[in-house]
Amino acid sequence: MELIREITEELKSSYIDYAMSVIVGRALPDVRDGLKPVQRRILYSMYEMGLFSNKPYRKCARIVGDVLGKYHPHGDAAVYDALVRMAQDFVMRYPLIDGQGNFGSIDGDSPAAMRYTEARLSKIAEEILSDIDKNTVDFQPNFDATLKEPVVLPSKIPNLLVNGCTGIAVGMATNIPPHNLSEVCRAIIAFIKNPDISVEELMKYIKGPDFPTGGIIAGDKGVLEAYKTGRGKIIVRGKVEIEGKKIIIKEIPYLVNKSKLVEKIAELIEEGKLDGKAVRDESDRDGIRVVVEVREDVYTALNKLYAYTNLQTTFGVIMLALVDGEPRILNLKDMIECYVNHRRDVVIRRTKFELEKAKDRLHIVEGLKKAIENIDDVISLIKSSSSPKEAKESLMKKYDMSEKQAEAILQTRLQKLTAIEIDSIMKEFKELKDKIAEYMSILSSKERIDEIIIKEMEYILEKYGDKRKTEVVGKVEEISSEELISEEECLIVFTKAGFVKRMSLNFKLQKRGGVGVIGIQLKDDEPSFVTVCSSKDKLLIFSENKAYWINAYEIPKFDRHAKGVKLTNFVACSNIVSAIPLREFDDTELLIVSKDGYIKKIKAKEFENAKRSGIIASSSNIAFACIVEGNDVFISTRKGYTVRFDVKEVPKLSRNAKGVKGINLREGDSVAWVSCRNGGYLLTVSKDGYARRSAVKEYRKVSRGSMGVINYKGDVIMAEVVEGIEKLVILSFDGYLLRTDISEVPVQSRTAKGVILCKKDVACCTIER
């Protein structure tokens, strides 16, 4: 008969059948024993082979062959992989198989072929199979209906929680983390005693997942979410120790490949993302030990390892398991409740089995008791019988016995008729009566059943319980980009063509009068501004009328031969007039001086929103900006004039304001430098490389807006108030850099030319404080 059906319906039906086959028969664990079908078949097959923990090991090829032939008609690789996984102590919190040979490593090494390895059941696996021969679970036909296999294992161990499970089905996946057996057993006992217990109360017992590789769970928020909803994200970090400039990794996150982690760290060092000397894997049979030697701040380097490598991972919890043959997302309490219900069912079925067994034995013993009470007549009856059949029928008729009782009497050996043996039969009769009463009592009382489960949990806890391997720490903030930056003193160089670069301030100090060393590679360009800052500072940049800011660490770090990168990569300007390093945008006051000599005060926080596109800083063209750090303002001009006045004379104005008159510039003159610091000297540097210090007291204080007094006869590049203990950084027009102590510059009168500082023409300079 031809069956006509829509192809869409056929495809839908067939795919659903396939999906359910994968979900139920392959990928997901049963909530009761925490095992997938292949794992259950391996353990049961080993149980049938007698491969207990006190017996010799057997070749894995033999085990795999037995599983394939009897219960699991799939590829041998799938079975062996499942067997290996159950034997790996870095995957299973409590391995179910005791392996001998190469079963792989945490470095990702493959296990040896099954013909080389051997295995047997671990002690804890025997608890999972305990009482399976007492009708505690249902059996089903195997693939060819020639044998029976268990639908589920009795499992005295709450295996799904303690060993976890990972599996990908069709349209769904499970990812249950392993837990500590002691904690889970205590939580189960607490649940049995108080079925209304909340997830939060259960978490007093179960602190969080407990991974076989240890590590640290960073924050308990994800743990609580996973336990309450069945889904959550847990941040797992490796455990490290700090020794000077060494980071020693002692434990790594769960399922992380150690050798790949080491390779990644080496890559970071090679690429310059981690300022390190070397990474060495010194692990041995005593445990993991990966040593990372760094040059930068060790805690910054550690944050980089967390951010860029698998030293920090996210474990996505999906607590999905089969409940009554259907996939369900379960919270922590649901999982415990399903397991306890399973154990109740196992205890009831085991008790019924023991009850039936005791009743059967009691029936036999009652027959023996009757025979003993009438021993002489029984012996005479048997002797007078012509055949065993006749003897059995006579016994059944005369003493009202069953066939089984009569058969047992006839099978009894003469030695059983001794006084000792007769006493033991009478004793057994009494014991059986007591046992049956006990079993009946258990079956009639839910409380008795729960008491048995609690005792079993206490036994498991005492025999197999251990301490946590994974530490759960409090709230851990996400690693910010700033935490990945080592704090160091940097030199920021800007050029007229709009390039910028950051360099380490590791240039050697030189005596004055030299040429210096190459500081920036230039071609048809020249330095326009230079400043010293911390890598964690914010750099407030001023163009002619706008302000912008970027983090100093955002500017790429180069060596001294590099040209740098375009400033427009970071802010919407190419030519700058000033750059001020700030740690925060707070109430710190800044001075802004325009090209025509106007000045104003403004708070740094006014520029907090400047960023890439910039905001208006002045309604006039800006010449210079600096921080207010002293009581007096010094404005110096290119042609060598300086005016000094009280900073209190400068009003606080808005960003759009022009300001008030600060200096009355002479024709053809312009503002070269502005300083507002406390110090004893005014350091002046000229374009032709000369410098001198003059006492501040030589510059009389005047009202703002004056033309100032002569400070230097020449083209002034910088005039900064100093103490005399700072360092000076100079950049020449062709990119040479000279770093020297300011104490090298002599103190002279304000009319003196000074001494030669640099043999090259100076483009810009800055003070290193």
Side-chain angles (χ1 to χ4, degrees):
M1 179 180 173
E2 186 178 351
L3 181 65
I4 299 173
R5 192 178 185 188
E6 283 283 342
I7 191 168
T8 53
E9 288 297 317
E10 179 64 29
L11 286 172
K12 183 179 178 181
S13 174
S14 297
Y15 192 77
I16 289 172
D17 290 345
Y18 160 72
M20 287 307 297
S21 171
V22 172
I23 290 167
V24 177
R26 190 179 303 179
L28 299 184
D30 192 295
V31 71
R32 296 170 289 180
D33 61 7
L35 298 170
K36 297 179 185 180
V38 64
Q39 295 171 323
R40 189 178 302 115
R41 287 162 177 168
I42 290 168
L43 295 180
Y44 182 65
S45 186
M46 292 177 74
Y47 168 83
E48 284 192 311
M49 293 169 71
L51 300 180
F52 301 111
S53 59
N54 58 351
K55 297 294 172 64
Y57 293 93
R58 191 76 63 85
K59 284 285 185 185
C60 288
R62 171 71 176 81
I63 298 168
V64 171
D66 207 62
V67 174
L68 290 179
K70 290 182 176 179
Y71 307 115
H72 199 72
H74 299 282
D76 59 344
V79 176
Y80 186 52
D81 286 347
L83 187 153
V84 165
R85 186 180 174 85
M86 288 193 287
Q88 292 175 330
D89 59 3
F90 52 88
V91 172
M92 302 290 279
R93 181 63 179 83
Y94 302 91
L96 302 180
I97 289 177
D98 177 11
Q100 182 169 265
N102 174 15
F103 277 80
S105 75
I106 200 168
D107 286 319
D109 299 318
S110 300
M114 67 181 84
R115 61 184 178 275
Y116 300 118
T117 56
E118 298 177 332
R120 63 185 178 188
L121 291 169
S122 66
K123 285 185 179 179
I124 204 166
E126 291 175 8
E127 303 292 353
I128 291 177
L129 290 151
S130 175
D131 299 327
I132 197 170
D133 56 348
K134 295 181 179 179
N135 194 34
T136 50
V137 293
D138 291 332
F139 280 71
Q140 64 187 6
N142 69 340
F143 62 91
D144 61 359
T146 57
L147 296 168
K148 296 277 190 179
E149 62 173 314
V151 174
V152 68
L153 299 183
S155 192
K156 274 188 186 177
I157 306 293
N159 185 57
L160 186 58
L161 273 172
V162 299
N163 272 325
C165 187
T166 300
I168 300 172
V170 180
M172 60 187 71
T174 185
N175 201 25
I176 303 169
H179 292 80
N180 182 268
L181 180 61
S182 301
E183 292 181 356
V184 174
C185 288
R186 292 189 186 101
I188 289 170
I189 293 168
F191 171 80
I192 293 171
K193 291 179 178 178
N194 176 21
D196 296 324
I197 193 169
S198 67
V199 171
E200 287 84 357
E201 288 172 319
L202 284 171
M203 284 185 68
K204 292 177 183 177
Y205 303 96
I206 301 176
K207 307 298 182 186
D210 189 27
F211 300 109
T213 52
I216 297 169
I217 293 173
D220 56 4
K221 184 179 177 183
V223 175
L224 177 60
E225 184 184 357
Y227 286 170
K228 289 183 78 172
T229 67
R231 290 178 181 270
K233 291 181 179 179
I234 298 172
I235 296 172
V236 186
R237 290 178 172 177
K239 194 173 285 186
V240 302
E241 292 176 1
I242 305 295
E243 292 182 7
K245 286 285 188 179
K246 292 179 181 177
I247 299 170
I248 300 169
I249 301 169
K250 304 288 285 184
E251 295 173 5
I252 63 175
Y254 185 49
L255 300 180
V256 167
N257 185 312
K258 177 167 64 68
S259 62
K260 287 187 178 178
L261 175 64
V262 173
E263 285 174 19
K264 182 62 179 176
I265 295 171
E267 262 180 50
L268 291 177
I269 294 172
E270 190 177 338
E271 291 169 1
K273 290 182 180 177
L274 180 69
D275 191 4
K277 293 181 182 177
V279 55
R280 298 187 304 277
D281 187 356
E282 298 178 358
S283 307
D284 54 24
R285 64 182 59 191
D286 295 325
I288 292 172
R289 180 183 168 89
V290 176
V291 181
V292 185
E293 291 187 46
V294 297
R295 297 186 183 90
E296 60 184 323
D297 175 66
V298 69
Y299 293 101
T300 303
L302 180 57
N303 282 334
K304 286 182 181 178
L305 293 180
Y306 286 146
Y308 299 144
T309 74
N310 278 340
L311 192 60
Q312 174 175 306
T313 61
T314 300
F315 189 97
V317 178
I318 308 171
M319 294 168 71
L320 179 74
L322 294 173
V323 181
D324 297 327
E326 294 181 0
R328 267 182 55 194
I329 293 282
L330 305 164
N331 63 25
L332 180 63
K333 185 179 176 181
D334 292 337
M335 294 186 79
I336 290 174
E337 185 176 7
C338 288
Y339 174 73
V340 170
N341 288 338
H342 172 57
R343 284 306 300 168
R344 284 172 179 154
D345 186 48
V346 167
V347 170
I348 290 169
R349 292 180 65 156
R350 182 182 67 198
T351 306
K352 285 180 177 178
F353 176 85
E354 297 286 2
L355 176 61
E356 291 302 316
K357 189 178 174 184
K359 283 181 175 179
D360 287 346
R361 179 60 185 164
L362 179 64
H363 183 65
I364 300 298
V365 172
E366 280 178 337
L368 293 173
K369 183 171 174 287
K370 284 182 183 178
I372 290 167
E373 289 169 349
N374 302 279
I375 187 68
D376 294 334
D377 289 344
V378 168
I379 291 171
S380 298
L381 188 149
I382 294 169
K383 286 172 68 178
S384 63
S385 299
S386 58
S387 67
K389 185 178 179 182
E390 184 185 336
K392 183 165 66 173
E393 288 173 352
S394 299
L395 286 170
M396 290 169 64
K397 185 175 181 180
K398 185 173 183 178
Y399 297 105
D400 192 23
M401 290 183 181
S402 69
E403 188 176 347
K404 281 187 178 180
Q405 288 174 324
E407 187 68 39
I409 291 168
L410 291 172
Q411 295 294 330
T412 302
R413 298 171 68 181
L414 288 175
Q415 68 179 27
K416 290 285 184 181
L417 300 179
T418 61
I420 293 174
E421 289 296 331
I422 291 171
D423 286 344
S424 70
I425 288 171
M426 301 305 289
K427 185 180 178 184
E428 185 183 0
F429 178 79
K430 185 177 180 303
E431 286 175 351
L432 287 169
K433 284 277 191 181
D434 292 341
K435 276 184 181 181
I436 289 168
E438 174 73 8
Y439 294 146
M440 295 291 284
S441 172
I442 290 169
L443 291 172
S444 63
S445 170
K446 181 177 178 293
E447 288 73 22
R448 292 292 307 278
I449 293 168
D450 286 348
E451 281 175 17
I452 291 170
I453 297 170
I454 288 172
K455 284 180 182 177
E456 288 177 347
M457 287 296 105
E458 288 171 346
Y459 162 78
I460 295 296
L461 194 156
E462 185 180 347
K463 187 171 182 181
Y464 302 103
D466 57 2
K467 292 181 180 179
R468 283 188 68 87
K469 291 187 177 183
T470 303
E471 183 183 351
V472 181
V473 300
K475 186 178 179 182
V476 174
E477 298 293 335
E478 191 174 338
I479 298 171
S480 66
S481 54
E482 191 171 334
E483 289 179 286
L484 303 178
I485 305 301
S486 297
E487 185 155 17
E488 61 173 338
E489 288 294 294
C490 299
L491 194 69
I492 309 288
V493 181
F494 299 87
T495 74
K496 284 192 174 178
F499 284 85
V500 63
K501 78 167 181 175
R502 178 164 62 99
M503 294 185 287
S504 293
L505 199 58
N506 54 6
F507 293 88
K508 289 182 180 179
L509 287 171
Q510 294 179 291
K511 296 289 184 182
R512 64 172 180 82
V515 173
V517 296
I518 191 72
I520 183 169
Q521 195 72 48
L522 297 170
K523 185 178 181 182
D524 301 326
D525 197 4
E526 61 186 59
S528 63
F529 196 87
V530 62
T531 188
V532 173
C533 67
S534 164
S535 57
K536 291 195 174 182
D537 281 343
K538 295 171 175 61
L539 210 59
L540 182 60
I541 298 167
F542 291 90
S543 65
E544 286 194 342
N545 62 355
K546 276 191 167 186
Y548 314 79
W549 75 263
I550 55 172
N551 294 299
Y553 62 77
E554 291 182 64
I555 300 171
K557 191 175 178 183
F558 293 98
D559 62 22
R560 60 192 183 89
H561 295 282
K563 184 176 184 177
V565 295
K566 277 285 187 180
L567 180 60
T568 50
N569 291 338
F570 313 105
V571 293
C573 78
S574 55
N575 294 312
I576 74 156
V577 294
S578 260
I580 300 173
L582 296 165
R583 187 45 62 104
E584 294 296 337
F585 287 99
D586 49 20
D587 288 331
T588 300
E589 292 182 327
L590 310 178
L591 288 178
I592 296 178
V593 180
S594 65
K595 287 185 178 180
D596 50 2
Y598 282 78
I599 188 169
K600 68 177 179 181
K601 262 193 300 198
I602 188 168
K603 289 185 177 179
K605 64 182 180 183
E606 293 285 328
F607 300 104
E608 189 170 5
N609 297 321
K611 298 208 174 175
R612 181 177 175 84
S613 57
I615 55 176
I616 295 294
S618 176
S619 59
S620 183
N621 288 340
I622 300 169
F624 202 88
C626 69
I627 297 176
V628 175
E629 297 177 278
N631 300 318
D632 296 334
V633 179
F634 288 79
I635 302 178
S636 300
T637 71
R638 287 282 179 188
K639 290 188 174 180
Y641 290 90
T642 297
V643 63
R644 176 191 180 194
F645 56 86
D646 201 309
V647 73
K648 292 178 182 177
E649 292 188 42
V650 183
K652 294 177 185 176
L653 299 172
S654 68
R655 290 188 292 106
N656 291 316
K658 182 176 181 179
V660 296
K661 199 71 172 176
I663 186 170
N664 190 8
L665 293 168
R666 291 169 173 81
E667 189 178 347
D669 206 356
S670 61
V671 175
W673 199 270
V674 181
S675 180
C676 186
R677 298 181 65 219
N678 292 321
Y681 308 99
L682 185 70
L683 173 70
T684 305
V685 179
S686 68
K687 182 180 177 180
D688 56 2
Y690 280 80
R692 61 153 167 77
R693 283 184 291 156
S694 304
V696 165
K697 62 185 178 181
E698 288 197 47
Y699 303 85
R700 60 187 173 86
K701 192 180 289 190
V702 296
S703 298
R704 61 172 179 77
S706 68
M707 300 180 76
V709 297
I710 191 71
N711 172 42
Y712 190 83
K713 292 180 180 178
D715 195 346
V716 174
I717 296 296
M718 183 181 78
E720 181 70 274
V721 175
V722 296
E723 287 286 356
I725 58 173
E726 301 93 338
K727 295 175 179 62
L728 178 66
V729 178
I730 298 167
L731 267 173
S732 67
F733 282 92
D734 54 0
Y736 276 77
L737 184 146
L738 179 72
R739 183 169 173 249
T740 187
D741 276 315
I742 287 178
S743 59
E744 292 271 317
V745 180
V747 179
Q748 296 178 333
S749 70
R750 63 186 177 84
T751 57
K753 182 175 178 62
V755 296
I756 190 73
L757 188 64
C758 176
K759 289 182 179 178
K760 288 180 173 285
D761 284 351
V762 177
C764 53
C765 47
T766 191
I767 299 296
E768 182 188 334
R769 302 172 189 179

